[in-house]
Amino acid sequence: MKTKLEWTESEDNVVMRVEGVPQSHKEAVTDILQSIRLLTDDYLQCLERRVECAAEKNTQKISSVSAQLLKSRALIDEARQQLLLGLAAARGEISASDLGFPEIDDPFYRDAT
């Protein structure tokens, strides 16, 4: 069975489910999903605090929380771009040198691994 990511949304629920994870990838997938769970929890807390700050009419806090929410989204986008570069490397479209690691392309190091 190929690994499959399922995503479902309803009016007040969002569910992500990963099926068919090979045993060799289970720990890595569990780790990343745990990180996503923690990130989502923190994100939700920030959203809730932003609403509370709005109720208090504290525009300075609203702006600060909103800025951090935007920054966190940008960092998530950056992480995805890094993974896409990894996929491009796996397809042979870019080298380790292209990614900023020229020593990995050096035959001395490549033969050592």
Side-chain angles (χ1 to χ4, degrees):
M1 175 183 199
K2 185 173 168 100
T3 303
K4 183 170 76 170
L5 179 67
E6 291 183 9
W7 182 271
T8 57
E9 292 181 47
S10 64
E11 189 168 320
D12 59 352
N13 288 310
V14 177
V15 177
M16 182 173 69
R17 179 183 172 108
V18 182
E19 293 182 343
V21 177
Q23 191 64 37
S24 59
H25 296 101
K26 188 174 181 183
E27 183 178 351
V29 171
T30 299
D31 288 348
I32 193 72
L33 289 176
Q34 178 69 4
S35 294
I36 291 168
R37 186 192 68 76
L38 293 170
L39 176 85
T40 304
D41 186 51
D42 293 342
Y43 194 83
L44 289 169
Q45 288 182 52
C46 281
L47 290 173
E48 290 168 1
R49 282 295 296 142
R50 186 173 64 176
V51 170
E52 291 170 10
C53 292
E56 298 167 1
K57 299 186 188 317
N58 189 327
T59 56
Q60 183 177 2
K61 285 183 179 179
I62 295 168
S63 296
S64 296
V65 173
S66 295
Q68 289 309 115
L69 287 166
L70 290 171
K71 186 176 180 181
S72 69
R73 293 294 303 264
L75 292 170
I76 292 168
D77 291 343
E78 174 63 24
R80 182 166 184 262
Q81 291 302 315
Q82 293 301 316
L83 292 172
L84 291 174
L85 286 172
L87 293 172
R91 292 188 301 267
E93 297 168 359
I94 56 176
S95 69
S97 295
D98 296 330
L99 297 172
F101 300 98
E103 64 278 4
I104 296 175
D105 286 334
D106 186 309
F108 175 79
Y109 293 105
R110 187 175 40 230
D111 296 339
T113 58

